Amino acid sequence: MMLSDAELETLIRESADRQLPEPLGQELQRVLETPPRTRNSKLLATAALLTLVAILSGVCVWQAFSCNPPTRTPALQPSCDNPMVSIMKPNGTTMRLVIDQGKTTLQVHDAQGRLLYSGACETREEREQMPEPYRTSLAQLSDWPESLNPPH
Amino acid sequence: MSRDAPDHLYRWSRWIHDHGWKLLAHARQFCRLTHEAEDLVQEVMTELWEKHGHHPPPDLSFVLTRIRQRAIDGLRSSRSRDRREESWQNEQSTQEILPPDSPSDLEHDRRRVQIALDQLPLIFREVVSLKLWSDLTFEEIADLLSIPKNTAASRYRLALDKLRPLLSPLE
């Protein structure tokens, strides 16, 4: 005699042991007695490690630059974003590269702000025609490019 | 676990009390031996507790899915699934059929049902387990197994048809 669907389902359903075996139940209770991990503990550990690396890198860079400051000055080329480049020498003289009427021009002021020199320096020829000591000073201050193109 | 325990701890404990046997019944469909199924349940529950212990217990479906994933990973890592199933069937026929000393009616039925289930392919066993022991709907089973709902239902129908002659009383 074959069982009906309902009888079969009841037989299977009721055959289940609805309790965990004691050893497993005890093991699971022991698991619950162990505090769960702090939320995102891995993430926090990683973040802490990255922060530490970043701080150490910063210290190394700072030490390197403070002990051996770079001797090379940045290229003195004004741009649309930064239309004026200014360098102050130890004696107070300020050298500025500015865009004057569309041309790159060197302006030199003394410590009191008086204009000592102003002249175009966009092309090699213009720079070669600059009077001393401005031509030498300018050349020492910067790696002059072949030509200083006016900003667009 | 007393009711004075922290609330989430109490809820997890209750959850294990209510659903632990369903997890074990489901794990048993993937594992050749009962103690392997117990190990699987313990591993999954430990993992879940460690990761989500600060929160309320997860849905039963979620835990059943984790058990299935772990079990399938284990099956894949073995030499070959077919060989495992074959040796399993052979061992079942020698190990599980051995009559207990004095089995109760319930114990007798339990063994008969599991032996009958063990003769079915895994795709049928797991649907029966999920439907009748975990009380999942066909929709939930379909989600859990990543199969269409109709496929879940038809697998269940086929499983019952296969189990019927194995579990019906002899004339």
Side-chain angles (χ1 to χ4, degrees):
Chain A
M1 185 184 71
M2 290 292 176
L3 294 174
S4 67
D5 280 357
E7 289 170 329
L8 198 53
E9 287 175 338
T10 303
L11 173 65
I12 297 170
R13 204 187 294 274
E14 292 183 353
S15 71
D17 188 352
R18 288 167 190 265
Q19 284 188 332
L20 283 176
E22 198 169 329
L24 177 59
Q26 287 173 350
E27 278 302 319
L28 293 182
Q29 283 302 328
R30 250 196 294 278
V31 168
L32 296 187
E33 286 164 12
T34 311
R37 280 186 217 147
T38 307
R39 192 180 179 195
N40 294 334
S41 58
K42 277 186 184 172
L43 196 64
L44 289 173
T46 308
L49 188 64
L50 287 175
T51 306
L52 185 63
V53 169
I55 290 170
L56 289 176
S57 304
V59 168
C60 290
V61 169
W62 177 77
Q63 281 193 332
F65 277 90
S66 62
C67 297
N68 303 296
T71 53
R72 188 173 171 223
T73 55
L76 289 175
Q77 181 153 4
S79 66
C80 293
D81 294 334
N82 188 16
M84 185 177 79
V85 177
S86 175
I87 289 179
M88 181 178 281
K89 298 183 75 177
N91 64 3
T93 306
T94 305
M95 302 176 75
R96 289 195 181 96
L97 276 172
V98 298
I99 309 297
D100 185 15
Q101 295 178 348
K103 289 203 74 175
T104 305
T105 304
L106 173 67
Q107 292 180 350
V108 182
H109 294 78
D110 65 10
Q112 285 72 43
R114 288 175 297 214
L115 181 65
L116 299 178
Y117 173 79
S118 175
C121 58
E122 195 163 297
T123 65
R124 177 193 289 268
E125 288 159 358
E126 287 170 341
R127 290 198 299 276
E128 284 175 352
Q129 287 170 6
M130 285 169 64
E132 291 293 356
Y134 309 122
R135 183 159 63 98
T136 304
S137 298
L138 191 60
Q140 286 171 346
L141 274 172
S142 168
D143 294 332
W144 279 94
E146 278 303 297
S147 67
L148 288 169
N149 298 319
H152 301 290
Chain B
M1 184 71 51
S2 76
R3 189 62 186 87
D4 296 333
D7 189 52
H8 70 281
L9 193 55
Y10 175 76
R11 289 168 72 179
W12 275 80
S13 184
R14 283 298 310 173
W15 192 93
I16 289 173
H17 179 267
D18 292 342
H19 300 298
W21 67 273
K22 300 175 187 174
L23 305 181
L24 184 59
H26 191 55
R28 176 64 182 78
Q29 306 315 313
F30 297 92
C31 299
R32 190 163 53 90
L33 298 169
T34 305
H35 75 81
E36 290 176 348
E38 291 179 7
D39 289 347
L40 177 58
V41 170
Q42 187 178 341
E43 283 172 23
V44 169
M45 287 308 299
T46 303
E47 173 200 312
L48 291 174
W49 169 251
E50 286 181 348
K51 284 186 180 173
H52 309 287
H54 292 295
H55 302 283
D59 288 340
L60 176 62
S61 293
F62 176 77
V63 186
L64 290 168
T65 304
R66 283 299 298 142
I67 284 183
R68 183 170 189 270
Q69 287 168 344
R70 279 286 194 103
I72 288 175
D73 288 347
L75 286 171
R76 281 185 181 142
S77 68
S78 64
R79 283 169 295 174
S80 105
R81 191 166 171 170
D82 289 341
R83 285 181 64 179
R84 178 176 269 254
E85 289 265 330
E86 187 184 345
S87 64
W88 178 19
Q89 301 286 355
N90 292 338
E91 289 199 33
Q92 292 298 320
S93 62
T94 56
Q95 290 181 358
E96 304 278 357
I97 288 178
L98 291 176
D101 293 336
S102 55
S104 63
D105 286 347
L106 183 62
E107 181 65 25
H108 180 72
D109 285 347
R110 188 173 302 147
R111 283 167 181 267
R112 270 206 321 142
V113 167
Q114 189 57 58
I115 290 168
L117 275 174
D118 288 343
Q119 295 182 46
L120 268 53
L122 176 60
I123 59 170
F124 296 117
R125 292 200 302 270
E126 59 181 350
V127 171
V128 171
S129 164
L130 293 171
K131 178 71 181 158
L132 294 180
W133 292 330
S134 297
D135 283 326
L136 299 189
T137 64
F138 285 127
E139 199 159 3
E140 290 169 326
I141 294 171
D143 282 346
L144 198 152
L145 302 181
S146 301
I147 57 175
K149 182 181 166 186
N150 287 341
T151 305
S154 64
R155 280 185 190 177
Y156 177 71
R157 294 289 328 152
L158 278 169
L160 287 189
D161 289 344
K162 288 172 184 288
L163 288 170
R164 198 184 320 276
L166 299 172
L167 293 174
S168 293
L170 299 174
E171 288 291 342

